[in-house]
Structure formats: C-alpha cells, structure tokens
Amino acid sequence: MPAVTPDEENLTRLCMIGCGGLATSRIWPCFPRLPVRLVGVCDLDEAKARRNARRHGGEAVYADFEKMLDETKPDGVVVCVGPQGHYALGKRILEKGYPLYTEKPPAPTAAQAWELAEAARKSNVLCMTAFKYRHAPALVKAKEILESTEFGGLQALNILRTAGGIQHLDKPGQQYHFLLDFCIHPIDEALFLGGPVQSVYAVGRGTDSFAVTLVYASGAVGGLTMSARGTFKRPIDRVEILGNPGHAIEIQDQIFMSYHVEDQPKYEHHPRFCTAGGDSLKETGFLTEVEAFVQHLRGQRPLEAVASRIDESVQSMALYEAIRKSVETGQPVRPEVFAHEPAVAGAAR
Ligand SMILES: NC(=O)c1ccc[n+]([C@@H]2O[C@H](COP(=O)([O-])OP(=O)(O)OC[C@H]3O[C@@H](n4cnc5c(N)ncnc54)[C@H](O)[C@@H]3O)[C@@H](O)[C@H]2O)c1
C-alpha cells in the first residue's frame, strides 16, 4: 500500500492530467468531495490547465507530465486524455512507481492494456480504469442479487444501449471508434454482470449498430445490442437479467434497479434526486470510482477490493476485440485470455 504523504489536513496529494470535456464535467467536480489536494495539473493545452486549476484549486500547472511528477511526487495520478495517452503516459507513470487511474478505454488495444497491467504488477501499484458501471450502486446491488443462492445463478442477460452524434464513420482507421469509445462501457458491463465470456458471435450494420450473442463460461447466454443511431437527449440504457424461473432483475439508465420474483417486488433501488440527498455523480459511478482510488491511496481499501482494476479492464478490451473480429469474419470468436506469468504470480497485491 503506498504511504500517505504527511499533510497538515492529511489530504492525499493527486496529480491530474487532462482538462478536456469529460474530465472537467465529471472528474474535476469529484475532487472537492474527497480528501485530496491537486498538487499538479497538466494539459498539453496549458490554458485549459490554468483554467481548471484556477476554478478548482490546482496548485501548480504543467504542460509536461514528467516534469510535474518529478517536481510534485504525488500519491497518485489521474489521467483523462484518450486511449493512446492513457497507454503511453500510463506506462511511464506506472514505471515511475505511481498508482494510476485512467479514464476508459485504458489503451487502444488489449495487448497494450496488458502492458499496463504488467507495468502495474512490476511496480506493485494499483492501476484502475474508470469503468463506471462497476462502481454504480444499482449495478453493484444487482450483481450481489444475481450471485445470491435465491436467484439461482445467471441464465440470461440482455443489454441494450444507444448513443447519438457519431462523426467518425468515414475517417480511415476510425471505423470502430464507436465500438471502442462508447460500447466499451456495455461490453465491460456484460463481463461485470455475467463473468468470463467463452464465445462471441457479432454482426454489425455498418460500424454504428451491433448485435452480439454471448456465451458465458458459466453456460449462461447473453445479448448485447448497441447503436449509435440514438440520441444523447434520450439515450436508451436497459439491462434484463434472468435466473431461477420467475426471478428477474431489471436495470434502467444504470441508476434504477428492481428485482421481482413472479410479480412480487423483492428489492428496489430507486434514488430520488429531488431531495438534497440525491446525488447523480454517485449513482452514475463517477464519484464512487474516483473515491475508490483515493481510498486505496489512503490505505483504506486493499487493491483486491478496488473494482475495475486493469487486469479486469484487459478482459473487456479482449471482448471488444473479439466482437470486432467476429463482425469482420462472420465467425464466432473466443476472446483472448490474458494471464500473468506464473513466475511472478503472487508478487503484486
Ligand atoms: N466515462 C465516460 O462516461 C466518458 C464519457 C466521455 C469521454 N470519456 C473518455 O474520456 C477521455 C477524454 O475524452 P474527452 O471527451 O474529455 O476528450 P477531450 O479531447 O475533450 O480532452 C482531452 C484533453 O487531454 C489533453 N491531452 C491530450 N494528450 C495529452 C498529453 N499527452 N498530456 C497532457 N494533456 C493531454 C488535451 O489537450 C485535452 O484537453 C476519453 O478516453 C473518452 O473515452 C469517458
């Protein structure tokens, strides 16, 4: 566990790399809610870094992340710059021995995500990916129910998600941008809820709508329908989970969850946002995932208890690549499995 740096208020010292759209709207608002100080703020566009530091309390501004790390020596680093940067910067950060949190996707490919996993293991530090579904209270509770004896094991799992506003279709090399950038969330969700996948068969209508059939290692079956032909003004995000006869869990918008046996409600997660207690950053998993990182840095959460660690994210990347390969070949595909060499097994926590 990394040592907590002494500080007059016992605050954890973070560096933040990335001051763009998602970071500014969803990650930065988490910091005042957590026991952290931002000792360094970095963006290639230094004006953005200065803006965010001024608005949200960053102590020093940089365009060069290596210089920032060398000068500030933080307890941990948060990176939100895009998959290539998560990989390239992430690898350096881990090699320097700093715990790392990146936005998704963790890298452009599963093999590169695996390099991050290996680097984290070598440095014996946490590397986690912001796969927010694994941190959303409704999903965490749904998983607990589906693993209960009463539910009787997963039979079938269906996920439907839509996005809007695609601009990538004609850009060479970016045909699968939607699948990687957006669909990686429901792909990760399928693994989180259903466990390891044994076989994938996928078809695409162009590269902006996909229908995927999944066979889980448990024998359960699943479907994943993802389309960019929706709209973010009214996205569709629905999950249905079946277990014992008559047992069903339904999740809506990643926030609302119900468990029914026949027509009888057994459990409901239905947060109310109209009261002061309502907290959408928490319910969507944005706050809870950054909080998990900070708790680990403060010695309050062991590595095994942090969701969306890089070893799990690698499998989500492998499932993304299997879907892509199945679309391209028209054949069922077995996702690649990544495992650490036995020689170093047990070296990392
Ligand atoms: N979890 C979610 O729901 C969600 C939603 C949207 C985006 N994202 C992810 O967030 C990431 C960022 O997306 P965005 O829309 O905010 O992008 P963006 O382009 O708005 O922001 C990226 C920022 O990173 C900076 N940057 C790039 N390379 C850098 C480097 N080497 N050093 C320092 N700064 C660098 C850029 O200057 C820019 O300010 C992507 O990986 C995206 O997939 C996640």
Side-chain angles (χ1 to χ4, degrees):
M1 195 78 52
V4 176
T5 310
D7 179 279
E8 68 276 14
E9 292 175 83
N10 189 23
L11 299 177
T12 296
R13 304 170 72 258
L14 289 185
C15 276
M16 175 76 208
I17 306 177
C19 302
L22 191 274
T24 303
S25 66
R26 293 290 182 271
I27 299 180
W28 281 82
C30 298
F31 295 137
R33 311 266 305 265
L34 298 169
V36 299
R37 37 188 282 229
L38 287 181
V39 292
V41 175
C42 174
D43 197 295
L44 286 180
D45 181 346
E46 227 179 302
K48 280 191 198 168
R50 269 197 306 277
R51 176 200 65 191
N52 279 24
R54 192 170 55 242
R55 285 184 188 169
H56 304 283
E59 293 169 23
V61 168
Y62 298 84
D64 176 344
F65 81 97
E66 301 236 21
K67 184 163 183 266
M68 174 173 74
L69 297 183
D70 292 344
E71 289 186 7
T72 60
K73 301 199 180 340
D75 297 320
V77 185
V78 176
V79 185
C80 178
V81 298
Q84 179 55 37
H86 298 158
Y87 164 67
L89 276 59
K91 208 158 166 222
R92 278 300 291 147
I93 291 164
L94 291 168
E95 283 165 359
K96 282 172 173 273
Y98 294 107
L100 173 68
Y101 170 110
T102 76
E103 247 310 324
K104 58 76 190 165
T109 67
Q112 289 168 321
W114 183 242
E115 285 181 41
L116 294 181
E118 294 276 51
R121 190 178 174 80
K122 224 171 175 177
S123 293
N124 205 20
V125 293
L126 170 66
C127 174
M128 70 178 280
T129 312
F131 277 131
K132 61 187 175 183
Y133 283 73
R134 292 182 188 249
H135 299 266
L139 270 287
V140 171
K141 186 66 192 177
K143 187 169 164 68
E144 189 187 311
I145 293 170
L146 85 83
E147 288 175 348
S148 69
T149 313
E150 183 191 9
F151 193 72
L154 179 67
Q155 278 289 313
L157 166 60
N158 192 46
I159 299 176
L160 167 64
R161 278 212 73 190
T162 65
I166 42 161
Q167 304 97 16
H168 58 274
L169 286 181
D170 299 327
K171 288 189 197 159
Q174 299 231 329
Q175 291 89 340
Y176 286 95
H177 174 78
F178 169 65
L179 191 64
L180 176 61
D181 184 68
F182 178 85
C183 300
I184 195 70
H185 270 313
I187 289 170
D188 178 69
E189 186 181 20
L191 284 174
F192 174 57
L193 292 172
V197 166
Q198 190 178 298
S199 168
V200 176
Y201 178 69
V203 289
R205 179 154 194 181
T207 51
D208 63 350
S209 293
F210 298 95
V212 185
T213 300
L214 301 168
V215 180
Y216 290 92
S218 66
V221 292
L224 196 46
T225 305
M226 304 168 293
S227 178
R229 293 297 173 102
T231 166
F232 274 127
K233 290 181 181 163
R234 193 178 165 82
I236 301 172
D237 184 344
R238 243 194 308 277
V239 180
E240 288 124 4
I241 310 169
L242 298 171
N244 270 331
H247 289 243
I249 302 168
E250 292 165 76
I251 308 168
Q252 177 75 39
D253 297 333
Q254 151 197 7
I255 288 174
F256 307 107
M257 191 271 288
S258 68
Y259 171 33
H260 280 74
V261 178
E262 301 293 340
D263 58 350
Q264 294 301 306
K266 298 278 285 186
Y267 184 87
E268 191 184 68
H269 183 82
H270 198 112
R272 301 295 161 114
F273 296 110
C274 56
T275 66
D279 188 345
S280 64
L281 267 184
K282 176 179 153 209
E283 296 297 335
T284 49
F286 282 108
L287 174 62
T288 37
E289 60 190 357
V290 184
E291 187 175 36
F293 183 60
V294 172
Q295 285 173 343
H296 174 72
L297 299 182
R298 296 174 71 77
Q300 295 161 351
R301 188 187 281 253
L303 190 137
E304 314 76 60
V306 178
S308 64
R309 296 183 304 279
I310 187 69
D311 290 51
E312 297 169 319
S313 310
V314 171
Q315 309 306 338
S316 304
M317 292 296 293
L319 182 53
Y320 147 75
E321 288 180 350
I323 292 170
R324 187 172 161 163
K325 190 170 173 191
S326 181
V327 168
E328 287 171 343
T329 61
Q331 298 296 317
V333 173
R334 181 181 282 267
E336 190 171 349
V337 176
F338 291 82
H340 292 289
E341 289 293 322
V344 286
R349 292 159 302 149

